Amino acid sequence: MQRNVIANVPLLSSSGRTLEVLDPSDGQPFDEIQRGNARDIDHAVHAARQCLDAVWRQTRATDRGRWLLELSTRVSAQADTLVALEQRDCGKPAWQARAEVHALVRALALHAAACRAEQSETRCTTPDGGSILTWHVPRGVTAHILPCTHSMPLFGHTVGAALAAGNVCVIKPSENASLGLLRVAQIAAEAGLPAGALNIVTGLGPEAGDALARHPGIDHLRFTGSRSVGTLILQAVAERHCPATLELGGKSPHIVFADADLDAALPAIVQAAIYNAGHSATAASRVLVEMSAYESVLERLGQAFERLRVGPASMTPDLGPLMHSRQQQHVWDFLSDAQVDGIAMVAQGQIADEAPEAGFYQAPTLLRDVPTTHRLVQEDVPGPVLCAMPFEDEDHACELAHATRPSPSPTAGVWTSNSERALRMARRIRSAQVFVNHYDAACDLELPFGGLQAGNCGNEIGVEAASSVRTFKTVTLPPG
Ligand code: NAD
């Protein structure tokens, strides 16, 4: 049974309750995590505050950098264990789990390298010879509520950046992706991270997550997850004016013009549709195709979808199972609505014969001519479902790309051999990141990522993530 990690000590929840951990590949329970509650969160926040006041505030930036580097090195040494945990806990194929653990290693090293002394600068002198200083300071105790998708790299960026800047952290991982991060917290304790700098409380969103969002001891909240939960988080923090950074989900479109190199575009779009079993902000969920190429693109995409195989994480399939049965039921509900509403299915992949009946499998599905008002276009579908629709011209393509509510998608792909059009579209598409003639659903998070477009209240990953974990204060000194 797994325990929370508070002040480097493995602890049972004061609720006395646990949650079963299911293997998505066979639907069977194989472990338990603590069902954390408001008291556990309170304990973790106090441990963090104590560490901040007694130890962390006095640490040098170079020492924080050394700890983060040490953690990165130790995580790397235990990569095989973490990969196995991610496969079992999240149903990720080995190649994806390994890539994500390595992304965590790199993120920790990146933020270790970025550790630097808090900067202060003289902004100006007053007419009577006084000074006005601006000090860059950490936020203090930061809360991190993480999603079930790629929790390893996200942890590396949001927690790595926060610790590097001199904050202490309380983390609530997804109840569907906790095991790997609990192991990382244990590794951090073994690496000698001061007790209380990094604390993890597992549990359900409306319990442990909500308690964390509402806790008065939190100085900054960082959330990555769905738009619907993001709304609840903003409402919770608004009550006490706690600053928050949100990276939310979306309906990332791919816009394919008739002059695009389809040999490059179509495999990339298929991979993007099935990345993380289709449950990711960067997963392709819509493909918009110029009318004259629509039928030929659908024919080729359909053939590619029919070849895809979903299977147990241990089998090296094209994609693994979804993470839990609720997610699977959710996708089935969307597909059943599609059928009732007469939306045509172009093709579907295969569920491997070896896949146990009770696993949470969903064959990748390609649908066509999906009306923009349909919930398949408007809502997050947590699985590998790609909706195709034709467009007439650039204006129409932009209109369709922006037709989702409440916000534009975090990422978009534009495929055309016309370089002027490519740049024109990149300017017009209101996504935080636009990929032109290539696409990386996994995103190399060391590079600049995302942006501050509508719907994203901040930036949690990439090199820009560090900016929101520190703030500044102004100090005015008299002359002399
Ligand atoms: P989710 O929103 O259901 O849950 C995210 C986290 O919030 C979990 O830890 C959950 O326990 C917690 N939570 C749930 N209800 C809560 C509440 N009432 N109060 C406080 N916390 C609560 O998302 P998920 O299914 O775990 O992850 C997938 C989503 O994350 C998708 O929408 C995906 O697009 C998005 N995502 C976005 C990015 C990005 O960079 N923009 C990256 C990864 C994932």
Side-chain angles (χ1 to χ4, degrees):
M1 182 206 287
Q2 304 299 319
R3 293 165 189 238
N4 292 328
V5 179
I6 299 178
N8 288 355
V9 180
L11 290 176
L12 297 175
S13 166
S14 61
S15 71
R17 301 172 76 181
T18 58
L19 298 168
E20 275 185 336
V21 180
L22 305 183
D23 181 340
S25 294
D26 61 14
Q28 301 307 309
F30 69 97
D31 206 341
E32 287 170 75
I33 55 170
Q34 299 302 309
R35 183 166 169 175
N37 61 12
R39 280 182 64 192
D40 303 321
I41 290 292
D42 190 51
H43 183 183
V45 173
H46 278 99
R49 177 71 58 190
Q50 211 168 5
C51 174
L52 181 69
D53 292 341
V55 184
W56 204 240
R57 231 188 261 287
Q58 285 82 47
T59 55
R60 290 167 190 270
T62 45
D63 289 333
R64 297 198 299 271
R66 252 202 306 278
W67 269 309
L68 282 171
L69 202 55
E70 177 67 19
L71 180 57
S72 168
T73 307
R74 288 179 184 235
V75 167
S76 177
Q78 297 201 28
D80 289 347
T81 309
L82 290 167
V83 168
L85 278 175
E86 285 291 283
Q87 273 192 276
R88 192 97 199 265
D89 190 15
C90 307
K92 290 178 194 286
W95 62 267
Q96 190 184 330
R98 192 163 294 282
E100 294 189 1
V101 171
H102 283 144
L104 166 63
V105 169
R106 291 200 313 273
L108 292 170
L110 177 83
H111 291 293
C115 269
R116 57 179 194 265
E118 281 65 57
Q119 296 165 343
S120 59
E121 50 187 275
T122 303
R123 294 293 294 274
C124 60
T125 50
T126 57
D128 58 359
S131 305
I132 301 177
L133 310 176
T134 304
W135 287 351
H136 292 258
V137 291
R139 301 266 185 183
V141 180
T142 53
H144 305 253
I145 300 180
L146 295 173
C148 59
T149 55
H150 35 261
S151 57
M152 289 266 156
L154 288 176
F155 174 95
H157 279 282
T158 180
V159 176
L163 288 172
N167 303 280
V168 290
C169 307
V170 179
I171 299 126
K172 209 301 276 174
S174 163
E175 51 276 37
N176 300 304
S178 293
L179 300 192
L181 297 185
L182 286 171
R183 184 70 205 117
V184 171
Q186 289 157 10
I187 298 172
E190 290 156 17
L193 194 74
L198 189 165
N199 308 276
I200 298 199
V201 176
T202 58
L204 299 174
E207 295 177 2
D210 184 66
L212 185 54
R214 291 180 192 284
H215 199 289
I218 294 300
D219 299 311
H220 189 250
L221 188 134
R222 298 164 71 77
F223 170 80
T224 305
S226 61
R227 291 184 286 183
S228 52
V229 175
T231 305
L232 298 177
I233 298 277
L234 273 185
Q235 285 166 348
V237 296
E239 283 183 17
R240 57 190 185 83
H241 304 143
C242 174
T245 305
L246 278 75
E247 277 270 13
L248 303 177
K251 303 286 297 176
S252 296
H254 279 255
I255 301 162
V256 183
F257 286 90
D259 64 2
D261 174 357
L262 295 183
D263 291 339
L266 301 190
I269 293 170
V270 172
Q271 277 310 309
I274 63 171
Y275 175 71
N276 239 324
H279 189 37
S280 163
T282 52
S285 57
R286 296 180 291 152
V287 57
L288 319 177
V289 187
E290 191 167 5
M291 188 68 90
S292 60
Y294 190 55
E295 293 304 332
S296 60
V297 164
L298 281 194
E299 192 181 337
R300 287 179 63 177
L301 277 178
Q303 288 162 1
F305 264 65
E306 278 166 5
R307 285 193 297 272
L308 292 170
R309 285 216 318 164
V310 52
S314 56
M315 228 188 74
T316 325
D318 293 311
L319 66 159
L322 304 178
M323 280 192 196
H324 51 82
S325 55
R326 285 187 313 285
Q327 197 179 341
Q328 190 184 34
Q329 184 60 52
H330 204 164
V331 176
W332 289 347
D333 290 346
F334 275 105
L335 292 179
S336 128
D337 280 2
Q339 201 173 13
V340 169
D341 296 335
I343 292 171
M345 183 190 293
V346 179
Q348 206 164 39
Q350 309 274 324
I351 297 178
D353 294 340
E354 299 86 336
E357 191 81 357
F360 309 139
Y361 297 100
Q362 172 58 49
T365 304
L366 175 63
L367 302 169
R368 62 173 291 165
D369 310 336
V370 186
T372 50
T373 50
H374 199 276
R375 62 187 289 252
L376 276 160
V377 174
Q378 295 300 329
E379 298 172 29
D380 283 4
V381 182
V385 177
L386 181 61
C387 297
M389 49 202 88
F391 68 81
E392 303 282 352
D393 53 22
E394 289 178 26
D395 288 346
H396 189 206
C398 291
E399 189 189 314
L400 291 178
H402 298 148
T404 57
R405 292 287 173 270
S407 59
S409 310
T411 56
V414 174
W415 300 89
T416 173
S417 56
N418 178 333
S419 53
E420 282 177 19
R421 172 154 60 200
L423 286 179
R424 218 166 33 236
M425 292 299 287
R427 265 193 294 273
R428 291 185 69 183
I429 298 295
R430 295 198 307 269
S431 291
Q433 180 148 357
V434 182
F435 291 89
V436 176
N437 289 333
H438 79 127
Y439 196 79
D440 173 16
C443 290
D444 186 342
L445 302 178
E446 279 168 49
L447 302 176
F449 172 83
L452 293 180
Q453 300 298 300
N456 268 20
C457 310
N459 189 286
E460 275 293 86
I461 42 190
V463 289
E464 306 294 343
S467 59
S468 61
V469 285
R470 55 168 61 90
T471 181
F472 68 92
K473 70 199 290 185
T474 304
V475 179
T476 307
L477 301 174

